[in-house]
Amino acid sequence: MSHDTSRPFPEDFLRPDDRSPVEGIDETFVFTFDTYADDLGAGQQWSRWEDLEALMRGPEPRPDWVVTSSGAIDTELGVLKTGKEADVFLVERSDPHDADGSVVMAAKRYRDTDHRTFHRAASYTEGRSMKRSRDNRALKRKSTWGRQVAAGEWAVSEWNALRRCWELGLPVPYPVQIDDTEIMMEWITHDGETAPRVAQVRPEPSVVQGFYDQLREALLTLVQAGLVHGDLSPYNTLAQGDRLVIIDLPQMVDLVGNPRGMDFLLRDCANMAGWFRSRGLEIDEQELFGDLMAHAF
């Protein structure tokens, strides 16, 4: 076959001395890449972030500390807390090629129905509706998220509640991702350690008053959105210094749609009012309840 001199061979683009590419090559064809380890250590796995659908990732805008690198590795650090329906672990997510791209998160893992020691009362799920149109669309498409929503797991309930509360500006951990029955979320710390439960602290009177102001504001935001925590107490609120953080949200109910919505709200008020009275702040749960209901509609 004869050589068409009008079409240069590839070697015509190379210098005769070192056979390297000639200068002036289009930079859009030049790229660099980092190599990652083929094998991971014990307790490690590749981040699943890239594999998850949009509804399985935290709401935007995301905090700067969220690691989204496709080369990130999740390393198990140990158990943080055990519970009746779920255990919480600490997991570090880091990119080996980004020294600053590392974060420790809390991973809440719900047990399957065969390994739970406590089953949620059906009263929590009464009147629960699919208010999010995107969840309805996911169900119709039968996507991964749609199948997870259809399963009705408590992990999905907590994930939706966390996302909703974060979008409302409430003091809750940022929800990073949900994958099957595991929710990864912000690890709430104080002075480098896990923030204590409110039930465990004895703050100064000024801090107690600040906690109450924050609690009232959070409850007002919830009821104005038609929501009730449903299981609020000093044991599922954290004291991050002088900041109050609300956790454990899988049983969140609709204030009006659930027949016991107002009963749950009154119980939430009573649980928290009792703690404030024990710390010297005279709070009446009936007055708090009435105040909230006055702003609910």
Side-chain angles (χ1 to χ4, degrees):
M1 181 180 293
S2 61
H3 171 39
D4 181 358
T5 57
S6 65
R7 300 181 64 185
F9 275 11
E11 56 264 27
D12 294 331
F13 289 104
L14 305 177
R15 297 191 184 97
D17 52 348
D18 59 7
R19 316 294 288 179
S20 61
V22 297
E23 295 182 1
I25 189 170
D26 189 338
E27 293 185 359
T28 60
F29 291 96
V30 179
F31 66 93
T32 60
F33 62 91
D34 295 318
T35 59
Y36 290 82
D38 293 327
D39 299 319
L40 300 179
Q44 291 187 321
Q45 65 177 13
W46 294 110
S47 164
R48 290 261 300 149
W49 178 267
E50 290 289 342
D51 301 324
L52 301 176
E53 296 179 6
L55 293 181
M56 301 168 76
R57 301 176 183 176
E60 297 183 356
R62 300 185 180 101
D64 293 339
W65 53 263
V66 177
V67 177
T68 61
S69 168
S70 58
I73 296 172
D74 291 344
T75 303
E76 191 100 0
L77 301 180
V79 178
L80 179 62
K81 183 183 74 170
T82 59
K84 295 177 180 179
E85 290 198 334
D87 298 321
V88 181
F89 297 78
L90 289 182
V91 174
E92 180 183 34
R93 175 168 291 176
S94 61
D95 185 331
H97 294 284
D98 182 3
D100 298 323
S102 175
V103 64
V104 177
M105 300 176 291
K108 187 171 185 178
R109 296 170 187 164
Y110 278 85
R111 302 188 186 93
D112 59 40
T113 53
D114 294 331
H115 295 88
R116 294 177 188 169
T117 59
F118 174 76
H119 297 277
R120 299 282 180 182
S123 56
Y124 282 115
T125 58
E126 289 184 72
R128 181 171 287 176
S129 60
M130 195 70 61
K131 290 189 174 181
R132 289 180 175 272
S133 59
R134 58 191 182 188
D135 285 349
N136 282 323
R137 291 195 298 269
L139 281 168
K140 292 177 181 178
R141 291 197 306 269
K142 297 181 179 180
S143 65
T144 302
W145 174 244
R147 291 193 298 271
Q148 202 158 333
V149 171
E153 290 290 338
W154 285 101
V156 173
S157 297
E158 178 152 31
W159 173 254
N160 281 334
L162 275 171
R163 283 186 60 113
R164 183 79 183 279
C165 288
W166 179 267
E167 291 166 345
L168 288 170
L170 288 162
V172 297
Y174 176 76
V176 177
Q177 67 180 55
I178 182 172
D179 189 7
D180 195 21
T181 58
E182 177 188 77
I183 300 174
M184 282 195 179
M185 66 186 81
E186 179 184 2
W187 177 34
I188 304 299
T189 64
H190 179 58
D191 292 338
E193 301 291 336
T194 302
R197 295 185 177 98
V198 165
Q200 300 171 314
V201 300
R202 292 186 172 274
E204 295 294 323
S206 61
V207 176
V208 174
Q209 180 64 56
F211 280 172
Y212 177 71
D213 294 339
Q214 294 173 57
L215 174 72
R216 179 182 176 277
E217 186 65 29
L219 292 178
L220 279 174
T221 301
L222 279 173
V223 298
Q224 287 170 348
L227 300 171
V228 181
H229 184 286
D231 193 29
L232 192 62
S233 79
Y235 293 94
N236 50 31
T237 48
L238 302 180
Q240 189 181 37
D242 58 2
R243 177 175 178 252
L244 197 73
V245 180
I246 299 171
I247 61 172
D248 293 339
L249 302 165
Q251 68 294 312
M252 181 169 282
V253 300
D254 189 297
L255 175 61
V256 178
N258 187 296
R260 295 191 58 197
M262 295 184 188
D263 293 334
F264 286 134
L265 177 59
L266 179 57
R267 189 178 67 182
D268 286 354
C269 292
N271 287 340
M272 296 305 297
W275 180 84
F276 283 106
R277 287 195 296 270
S278 72
R279 297 299 184 266
L281 192 62
E282 288 304 318
I283 301 298
D284 181 87
E285 57 263 29
Q286 294 288 346
E287 289 183 7
L288 175 59
F289 175 76
D291 180 27
L292 297 174
M293 291 305 299
H295 292 82
F297 305 105

